[in-house]
Amino acid sequence: MKRILKYFTIRLLLTIPMIFILLTLIFFVLRVMPADPVKSMLGAHAPERVIEQKRKELGLDKPILAQYVDYLKQLARFDLGKSMIMEQKVITPIKDKLPATLELIIFGLIIALVLGVFLGAYGANNRGTGKDTTIRLYGLIVFCIPAYWMGLMLQLIFGIWFDWLPIAGRTSSRVLVAEFNNTGFYLIDTLIAGNIPAFLDVLAHLVLPALTLALILSGIFVRLTRANMLDVLNNDYILAARARGISEKKVVYKHALKNTMVPILTMLGMQFALLIANAVLTESTFSWPGMANLLVKRIHLRDYPTVQAIIILIAVMVSLSSLIVDLVYAWIDPRVEY
Amino acid sequence: MKYVFRVLFILVLVLMFIAVGCKSKTKSKDMLVYGTTESVTDLDPAEAYDFHTWEILYNVYEGLMTYKPGTAELQKGLAESYSINDKGDKYTFKLKEGIKFTDGTLFTAESVKWSIDRVMRLESDPGWLVTDFVESVDVVDKYKVRFNLKQPCGFFLKLVATVPYYPVNPNVFPADKIVTNPSELKGGKLTGLGAYQMMSFKRDEEILLKANPNYYGKTNIDRIVINYFKDPTTMRLAFEKGELDLVYKQLNPNDIDDLLKKDEYNSYKIPSPFIRFLCFETSESVMKNKKARQAVAAMIDREEICKKVFINQAKPLYSMVPIGMFSHKDYFKTEIGNANIEFANKRLKELGYSKNNPLEFELWYTPSHYGDTEVNMAEVLKNQIEKSELIKVVPKSAEWSTYLDNFDRKNMAAFLLGWYPDYIDPDNYTAAFAGTTGSAGQGIYFSDPQYDKLFMEEKTSVDQEKRKEIFEKIQKLWTEDVPTAPIFQGSLFVFTKENITGVKIGTAMTFYYKELKYK
Amino acid sequence: MVTTFLRKFLNYFKESKKKYGVQWWILVIGIVIVFFVTLTALFPGVFAPYGPNYMESGDQFAPPSFQNIFGVDNLGRDVYSRVVYGSKTILGVAFVAALISSLIGIPLGLISGFVGGVFDRVLSLIMDSIFSFPGLILAIALAAMLGPGIVNITGAVAVIYIPQYYRQVRGQTLSIKEEVFIEAGRAIGASKLRLLRKYIFPNVLATVVVIFSLNIADAIMTEAALSYLGLGLPAGIPDWGRDIAMGKKYLASGYWWVITFPGLAIVSLTLGFTMVGESLSELLNPKLRDK
């Protein structure tokens, strides 16, 4: 236990400077161009005096370093600030839209994992055959497909040509969100409200965007699984299992797979950054009201506080995910030491 | 392990199939679902300055004057009658009696004064519609209120019909703060003196409106749900699948084209006075010589733009005053022409430009504020203008906030701009771009005392015939100085299901939901 | 003469294939794709029947036909020509971005690995932070702040790949630093710079080539993504990402060719460079080679 704690604290301490560096980077990057958010917020007609006043209020008249220090002080109080373009706290839209992104990412990740692992294992098992080559090519090609194009093609085929699935948004227009909105995770909310048609509607809306994310990420899992499986399948204990007469299927999918899962799960942490990047493109294509979409919109509008807050949040999530995964790995593998 | 995976997989697949087969629809005649790609800004009559938020406020609030649905004709709203003094600078309104806000507060002259004072105090973006004209407001008696204007104004009644003048409940609205979300109000809901109350609000997703029981007039459909779409294609598909009863703003030109061809929907073409035009920085940039501006304006082929970019859903525009508005004259067609290469080249050669020394300038556009047709516009304009061979065009783009910034920095020699009117009068389309103060605010920096004098005359005159003459003169002068070159006038389309009527949107662009009804 | 040469070449081919297997084929296909697209990027006029901005190449929204093999877009422009000219844009940006990235990242990595100390620790921390963060999002922030323009986009894309070169080079420098022949070099009095130049750099070069290729693949995806989101190049310059963004609104009307072909182009080009990079990496590193 002590070992884990030591590992945990060291990793945590390392995370903080990383988040700090990123937020500093973004803070200064956002202020590179002197385009003024105040004017576009107040409008072209606002009198000069009001603009100056607003600028003072937002602290934009101070030199950059002073603004930076102010911001750090504010963060220390765990206050993410107020939006620069709307009269609301930054946390409000983020709280609103984060569940949408998380729901999409989690769903997509699960499908990617299931798909990738199975294909990888299957390929490793049939090494050298045409099936294997196809799977290897799949792993290679799928990662080269832009997420938005994949999304658009899926929309075209399943939404327009076949009209099987909805192509945008989280719910249909006639499903009144107001009736079940609770945690923001619509899959859970609809079940809590006992509204099964709404649940199915939400699920249907999740399919295509999650599939887009899933297909792109599955490539990595396919190749990882396959590589790992090939290693594992050459191990002695597999030979022993086969010698003992255990069925081939059980050997591959039970014994071998179990052992490859650990390195795969550790890779999960590293894929989080990729997941978020592709989520930006997916959310944009499917008009998904999530945090990634919010980020892009607010960058255009030069809403610095919101953008900074979202970036910090992403940095925290990325660090956390790799931290958790490393912890799990350290716990499982007694050889790991820092 | 493997079994768990398998079961999960099959479960997911099964659920997906069920989901595919099940499409949720709740149908009833007391509800209408309205789809749009617009978005709401601040739900405060003193602060909102965009078309869509005004539309919602038209329905939740009401003005002393309103427009007759489907027309640009003013009629009395909350005011029972009005009188104007001889000089034309004092307007007195007698209010309808016995009208109450939702919380029981009585609507009186005090409410009007409080609301106008609030607008003047908050100094917001649309505030100038009040502060530029109104000196003060007096409560004459319980139901009589008088506006004392800074100078006589020929179109004040039109101003009173705009949203910043709408009375709000003094007991509910904060006196010194702008309201962004209804949750900030006492009671948490946005309700006023209009036909509908806002029962729930989820920004960029959904708004639920319910008929206001305290409304003095009549409402047909009890519940209106506004569904927000980020993507016009999705909205079109949702409409065709039957999920929406009505769509308005902003479908893509090709979607409009397709829907118009289908018989099962009702379509309404709205003669909307929104225009798009090319502006020039006239004081310091390479466009400071009016001959250069005339040349570029002459190269524009409006017919091609309307056909290619808008599939004939827009109309070529030859004046800054829109078609259908009083005093409109096609002077750009008669004086300069359309795609007139000889005219342009003649002017350019007079300025010393040649094939080896072309007039080179940056054509700016903003790619999302007016929709992404602006990108196509810039591409088509570049081709058209360069047909002269004496001009070289470099397209450049900037997001809206940078665009506004560029006005101040005078670094856009030529830029595309669009205009939705604040009030329905030629003054709003001209003074804002060629009057000294207005022009500077729009990055054009045109200043000519002759124009300023003419604007002052038409603003203060109450004689509509005289105003018409002045505007015609202004339009003619415009073709000589060309601070801006008009390109097209847009149309807006509303599509509804076959069983819905009551879509009455006139040139005043006021969309009153209370008129909608099921057959 | 020619036939013997061809036969020898084919034999060599067959032997290599047997020796290296699928990996060899992947490399070859990758090189062919890269070569072909580079040609179209350098000489677009040869491959494209119309100019990219020529708006009279066919009827508005005409489907693929002999006259326009990829169809016509909403302004009457030939989709195929736009794809061809677009390759010049995207390859140009990606290549220059990768070049800038490497020119900054490699020296930094060499110095950092060689010098060590506080400088190394601090720089490593910064680089790791950037590396672990989703690159696309940083690129979006940079591109949005700098504004549209070919220089800005190239810069935005370049910045996010610097850590890749840095880390790889630094890691290799660190391990090579301990090698015996470095000790030997030091013993004979070689200066630090000479050690870097003569001993460390050549060994690092091989991996750098692999990263460069994969870098270009990724840069292509990033540039297209930025354009798709509206942060890329202004109008007038043909760009695959922007064409997809502008063309997606026509899906509901059934005009699928406007976005399908630019998308396929992105996939092919990225695939080409990825194939080259990955197979080179496997071929150069025998330990990892998959038999």
Side-chain angles (χ1 to χ4, degrees):
Chain A
M1 233 0 228
K2 196 153 163 252
R3 177 179 61 90
I4 303 278
L5 265 170
K6 179 168 163 236
Y7 189 67
F8 177 71
T9 13
I10 294 178
R11 284 287 273 110
L12 194 67
L13 288 175
L14 267 186
T15 321
I16 295 177
M18 280 176 56
I19 298 182
F20 183 76
I21 290 174
L22 276 165
L23 112 230
T24 309
L25 200 70
I26 282 297
F27 186 91
F28 288 100
V29 160
L30 287 181
R31 285 158 176 75
V32 156
M33 291 306 270
D36 189 7
V38 179
K39 210 80 207 260
S40 65
M41 181 182 13
L42 294 178
H45 285 284
E48 208 33 59
R49 190 173 49 82
V50 178
I51 296 184
E52 278 311 309
Q53 193 182 33
K54 194 78 198 203
R55 217 175 260 146
K56 249 210 188 82
E57 198 185 294
L58 292 170
L60 289 173
D61 56 334
K62 296 192 203 149
I64 284 199
L65 278 175
Q67 289 185 42
Y68 180 59
V69 171
D70 280 344
Y71 187 59
L72 287 179
K73 280 196 240 166
Q74 187 189 330
L75 280 181
R77 294 193 306 261
F78 287 108
D79 177 14
L80 285 170
K82 265 177 74 171
S83 161
M84 233 178 233
I85 60 157
M86 282 185 186
E87 293 294 319
Q88 54 177 242
K89 296 191 114 248
V90 156
I91 197 80
T92 315
I94 293 182
K95 236 187 350 184
D96 214 23
K97 309 213 179 248
L98 184 59
T101 305
L102 286 179
E103 205 172 44
L104 175 64
I105 288 182
I106 295 174
F107 211 66
L109 193 57
I110 294 177
I111 301 181
L113 205 58
V114 168
L115 189 64
V117 165
F118 262 111
L119 282 181
Y122 190 71
N125 201 25
N126 297 300
R127 201 249 292 266
T129 63
K131 293 184 208 138
D132 178 36
T133 319
T134 326
I135 291 180
R136 287 177 71 188
L137 280 176
Y138 170 83
L140 195 62
I141 294 178
V142 115
F143 194 60
C144 297
I145 304 182
Y148 48 92
W149 189 75
M150 171 88 86
L152 285 170
M153 290 293 115
L154 286 176
Q155 283 179 338
L156 180 66
I157 299 173
F158 296 103
I160 299 180
W161 281 348
F162 290 135
D163 197 10
W164 283 347
L165 290 163
I167 68 167
R170 296 179 77 189
T171 58
S172 308
S173 315
R174 286 187 182 273
V175 171
L176 294 179
V177 173
E179 285 172 4
F180 56 75
N181 189 22
N182 200 342
T183 63
F185 291 94
Y186 289 179
L187 277 180
I188 303 177
D189 287 343
T190 45
L191 284 178
I192 293 178
N195 191 341
I196 297 299
F199 174 78
L200 291 173
D201 184 57
V202 168
L203 194 63
H205 280 262
L206 259 173
V207 172
L208 285 183
L211 203 61
T212 308
L213 268 182
L215 284 174
I216 294 183
L217 266 102
S218 67
I220 303 175
F221 290 127
V222 165
R223 293 157 77 187
L224 246 174
T225 314
R226 187 178 172 279
N228 277 315
M229 280 287 274
L230 286 175
D231 262 347
V232 164
L233 282 174
N234 281 327
N235 274 332
D236 289 336
Y237 66 88
I238 296 293
L239 196 60
R242 280 203 184 105
R244 285 214 303 277
I246 301 183
S247 80
E248 188 59 24
K249 266 214 163 72
K250 257 203 181 152
V251 168
V252 173
Y253 293 108
K254 188 159 165 232
H255 296 277
L257 198 58
K258 247 200 304 193
N259 285 287
T260 64
M261 283 312 280
V262 173
I264 290 173
L265 284 172
T266 61
M267 278 299 272
L268 253 174
M270 285 161 52
Q271 300 317 314
F272 202 76
L274 204 63
L275 205 52
I276 301 223
N278 280 305
V280 172
L281 300 172
T282 311
E283 286 192 7
S284 164
T285 310
F286 287 93
S287 303
W288 196 258
M291 211 179 59
N293 227 350
L294 184 69
L295 178 67
V296 178
K297 213 162 58 154
R298 292 302 170 99
I299 286 185
H300 278 312
L301 295 172
R302 303 202 182 277
D303 186 3
Y304 304 148
T306 311
V307 172
Q308 277 154 210
I310 298 181
I311 300 268
I312 295 176
L313 203 59
I314 295 179
V316 167
M317 285 199 290
V318 169
S319 313
L320 262 177
S321 64
S322 61
L323 178 69
I324 291 176
V325 155
D326 276 355
L327 269 179
V328 169
Y329 200 47
W331 180 45
I332 293 181
D333 191 342
R335 291 171 296 171
V336 170
E337 243 181 279
Y338 195 82
Chain B
M1 225 352 199
K2 170 211 177 187
Y3 292 116
V4 174
F5 269 138
R6 235 202 198 169
V7 169
L8 250 172
F9 209 57
I10 296 182
L11 196 71
V12 168
L13 276 175
V14 165
L15 279 176
M16 283 202 258
F17 273 115
I18 299 182
V20 162
C22 213
K23 282 183 193 146
S24 195
K25 274 189 218 133
T26 38
K27 265 194 179 344
S28 62
K29 289 237 156 143
D30 73 345
M31 182 168 94
L32 181 139
V33 184
Y34 161 11
T36 182
T37 59
E38 299 283 295
S39 55
V40 167
T41 55
D42 299 291
L43 284 168
D44 188 330
E47 167 74 9
Y49 202 16
D50 63 287
F51 201 58
H52 180 73
T53 315
W54 273 29
E55 181 185 298
I56 299 201
L57 294 174
Y58 285 142
N59 288 284
V60 178
Y61 291 91
E62 187 113 335
L64 297 181
M65 300 294 290
T66 67
Y67 284 96
K68 197 150 160 240
T71 70
E73 236 180 271
L74 282 172
Q75 67 181 15
K76 299 185 264 284
L78 291 171
E80 198 175 77
S81 64
Y82 64 87
S83 63
I84 314 174
N85 70 342
D86 291 327
K87 198 162 164 227
D89 65 350
K90 288 199 203 302
Y91 284 71
T92 311
F93 295 89
K94 163 93 176 46
L95 307 172
K96 285 196 169 82
E97 305 189 14
I99 301 184
K100 290 205 183 100
F101 287 98
T102 324
D103 65 348
T105 314
L106 197 60
F107 168 62
T108 63
E110 272 297 333
S111 335
V112 177
K113 177 171 165 64
W114 190 88
S115 305
I116 301 288
D117 284 347
R118 178 171 181 266
V119 174
M120 298 206 281
R121 205 168 38 233
L122 287 172
E123 287 185 303
S124 53
D125 198 12
W128 70 275
L129 286 166
V130 171
T131 55
D132 270 17
F133 301 92
V134 177
E135 179 70 50
S136 64
V137 180
D138 294 328
V139 172
V140 176
D141 65 41
K142 192 172 183 199
Y143 289 109
K144 254 210 197 122
V145 63
R146 182 176 61 225
F147 289 82
N148 305 314
L149 303 184
K150 289 183 174 162
Q151 64 268 334
C153 177
F155 51 87
F156 186 65
L157 286 176
K158 292 182 188 171
L159 287 170
V160 168
T162 63
V163 168
Y165 285 82
Y166 285 17
V168 296
N169 190 341
N171 290 337
V172 161
F173 262 77
D176 288 310
K177 223 168 66 79
I178 292 167
V179 173
T180 306
N181 295 316
S183 47
E184 303 165 32
L185 295 167
K186 241 190 252 170
K189 293 207 190 29
L190 193 76
T191 71
L193 299 169
Y196 285 91
Q197 303 174 313
M198 188 179 290
M199 303 307 283
S200 94
F201 173 74
K202 195 157 201 274
R203 184 171 289 278
D204 294 335
E205 281 190 48
E206 165 189 290
I207 289 184
L208 179 55
L209 297 172
K210 199 161 163 13
N212 182 358
N214 297 336
Y215 184 54
Y216 71 88
K218 180 167 170 287
T219 319
N220 289 310
I221 298 186
D222 188 54
R223 285 188 300 161
I224 309 257
V225 179
I226 306 181
N227 231 280
Y228 289 92
F229 288 83
K230 290 191 187 63
D231 174 50
T233 312
T234 322
M235 187 168 81
R236 173 238 166 111
L237 289 170
F239 179 66
E240 290 198 277
K241 284 193 198 179
E243 293 173 28
L244 301 172
D245 298 310
L246 185 150
V247 279
Y248 178 39
K249 300 185 83 205
Q250 225 14 300
L251 286 169
N252 296 314
N254 58 301
D255 291 325
I256 294 176
D257 206 45
D258 291 340
L259 288 176
L260 282 173
K261 296 195 183 120
K262 299 198 178 163
D263 286 326
E264 60 259 45
Y265 307 118
N266 294 339
S267 64
Y268 303 84
K269 186 171 177 183
I270 301 183
S272 90
F274 88 77
I275 66 173
R276 295 256 255 285
F277 43 99
L278 184 60
C279 301
F280 301 102
E281 201 290 314
T282 61
S283 68
E284 291 171 11
S285 73
V286 71
M287 283 298 170
K288 62 176 182 269
N289 189 312
K290 70 178 173 189
K291 284 204 182 137
R293 305 198 290 269
Q294 287 174 0
V296 173
M299 291 308 299
I300 303 177
D301 185 349
R302 296 163 181 79
E303 313 272 331
E304 190 186 26
I305 291 179
C306 289
K307 177 166 163 284
K308 277 217 155 97
V309 182
F310 295 97
I311 316 186
N312 293 321
Q313 289 152 16
K315 277 190 286 207
L317 183 62
Y318 296 102
S319 163
M320 286 301 284
V321 177
I323 304 168
M325 191 169 281
F326 95 97
S327 83
H328 165 87
K329 280 240 181 267
D330 280 346
Y331 280 132
F332 265 82
K333 194 175 196 180
T334 52
E335 307 295 310
I336 296 188
N338 195 43
N340 195 340
I341 303 186
E342 303 110 62
F343 182 99
N345 282 347
K346 182 157 165 278
R347 297 285 181 295
L348 290 169
K349 289 205 179 101
E350 283 173 20
L351 288 175
Y353 292 110
S354 64
K355 259 201 206 152
N356 295 325
N357 175 28
L359 166 64
E360 202 173 315
F361 68 91
E362 292 177 338
L363 174 64
W364 289 76
Y365 64 94
T366 183
S368 47
H369 188 82
Y370 298 115
D372 67 3
T373 45
E374 290 293 277
V375 182
N376 288 147
M377 282 262 281
E379 290 170 332
V380 175
L381 274 174
K382 175 183 150 84
N383 276 15
Q384 290 177 352
I385 297 176
E386 287 188 340
K387 279 205 178 108
S388 129
E389 293 188 351
L390 299 179
I391 315 183
K392 200 159 167 321
V393 178
V394 178
K396 283 197 83 128
S397 77
E399 281 301 323
W400 186 241
S401 45
T402 315
Y403 219 65
L404 288 178
D405 227 41
N406 286 345
F407 288 171
D408 285 340
R409 283 190 259 156
K410 296 189 182 184
N411 55 0
M412 301 196 290
F415 54 100
L416 288 169
L417 206 59
W419 190 251
Y420 277 97
D422 301 311
Y423 46 90
I424 311 298
D425 189 275
D427 173 79
N428 195 234
Y429 288 88
T430 50
F433 304 103
T436 306
T437 30
S439 197
Q442 298 284 359
I444 301 172
Y445 295 94
F446 180 76
S447 180
D448 184 329
Q450 187 184 21
Y451 282 77
D452 289 335
K453 187 155 160 285
L454 287 169
F455 285 130
M456 187 43 84
E457 272 183 57
E458 58 86 3
K459 270 192 220 276
T460 54
S461 159
V462 210
D463 175 0
Q464 300 302 337
E465 266 309 305
K466 181 146 182 290
R467 295 185 79 225
K468 183 166 175 218
E469 268 178 48
I470 299 177
F471 280 120
E472 287 179 0
K473 187 156 181 223
I474 292 177
Q475 287 171 78
K476 188 110 188 282
L477 285 172
W478 212 281
T479 62
E480 285 171 29
D481 297 293
V482 194
T484 69
I487 304 180
F488 73 85
Q489 179 168 349
S491 316
L492 290 176
F493 288 84
V494 181
F495 292 95
T496 68
K497 285 207 181 118
E498 204 261 331
N499 59 348
I500 295 175
T501 60
V503 176
K504 297 184 189 152
I505 309 178
T507 39
M509 304 280 263
T510 48
F511 183 14
Y512 296 116
Y513 305 152
K514 63 183 191 233
E515 300 289 321
L516 295 167
K517 63 171 180 254
Y518 280 98
K519 271 197 222 155
Chain C
M1 247 292 274
V2 181
T3 40
T4 15
F5 178 67
L6 270 172
R7 205 179 301 138
K8 264 200 178 159
F9 189 61
L10 248 74
N11 264 330
Y12 178 64
F13 224 54
K14 266 200 231 142
E15 290 305 310
S16 312
K17 180 185 171 212
K18 257 190 254 165
K19 228 171 111 183
Y20 299 119
V22 181
Q23 214 60 262
W24 178 248
W25 276 115
I26 294 182
L27 179 63
V28 167
I29 297 176
I31 292 182
V32 166
I33 295 178
V34 170
F35 180 68
F36 180 63
V37 178
T38 313
L39 271 185
T40 63
L42 290 173
F43 309 109
V46 171
F47 293 88
Y50 307 97
N53 293 320
Y54 183 60
M55 293 182 187
E56 311 292 326
S57 70
D59 291 326
Q60 202 179 28
F61 293 128
S65 65
F66 276 125
Q67 197 190 345
N68 307 90
I69 55 173
F70 282 172
V72 179
D73 73 3
N74 65 314
L75 292 181
R77 297 176 298 197
D78 181 38
V79 176
Y80 174 66
S81 303
R82 281 188 76 77
V83 169
V84 168
Y85 277 91
S87 69
K88 177 168 162 188
T89 313
I90 209 166
L91 206 52
V93 170
F95 187 77
V96 173
L99 209 61
I100 297 176
S101 260
S102 53
L103 287 175
I104 299 180
I106 296 177
L108 277 180
L110 280 173
I111 299 171
S112 198
F114 200 67
V115 164
V118 177
F119 175 77
D120 176 40
R121 282 215 108 93
V122 169
L123 198 56
S124 285
L125 200 56
I126 297 179
M127 289 292 178
D128 273 348
S129 310
I130 301 179
F131 181 73
S132 57
F133 194 77
L136 182 62
I137 298 190
L138 272 178
I140 290 176
L142 274 170
M145 288 310 124
L146 294 171
I150 203 161
V151 172
N152 299 343
I153 297 305
T154 315
V157 173
V159 168
I160 59 181
Y161 293 113
I162 295 176
Q164 294 239 40
Y165 291 101
Y166 173 85
R167 292 176 101 222
Q168 185 71 25
V169 168
R170 174 179 173 274
Q172 285 209 284
T173 309
L174 280 177
S175 56
I176 295 179
K177 207 165 79 165
E178 306 306 317
E179 297 275 340
V180 178
F181 63 88
I182 295 293
E183 285 292 326
R186 261 201 213 108
I188 62 173
S191 77
K192 281 215 169 92
L193 198 65
R194 192 176 165 77
L195 280 172
L196 262 174
R197 201 166 39 94
K198 245 195 146 192
Y199 297 106
I200 301 184
F201 188 65
N203 283 292
V204 160
L205 197 61
T207 12
V208 163
V209 170
V210 171
I211 299 183
F212 195 75
S213 184
L214 293 173
N215 187 182
I216 295 187
D218 224 56
I220 292 171
M221 294 280 273
T222 308
E223 194 276 342
L226 285 176
S227 294
Y228 176 78
L229 292 171
L231 295 162
L233 308 165
I237 305 179
D239 184 291
W240 293 344
R242 190 175 5 92
D243 279 1
I244 296 182
M246 297 292 290
K248 66 180 161 91
K249 60 169 80 78
Y250 304 117
L251 284 182
S253 299
Y255 310 129
W256 54 270
W257 49 91
V258 186
I259 66 165
T260 308
F261 295 110
L264 281 174
I266 298 178
V267 176
S268 315
L269 192 55
T270 313
L271 197 58
F273 279 100
T274 311
M275 281 175 158
V276 169
E278 297 245 332
S279 43
L280 267 181
S281 136
E282 299 234 347
L283 289 170
L284 289 174
N285 199 340
K287 279 186 284 194
L288 297 174
R289 192 186 311 153
D290 182 270
K291 278 266 180 16

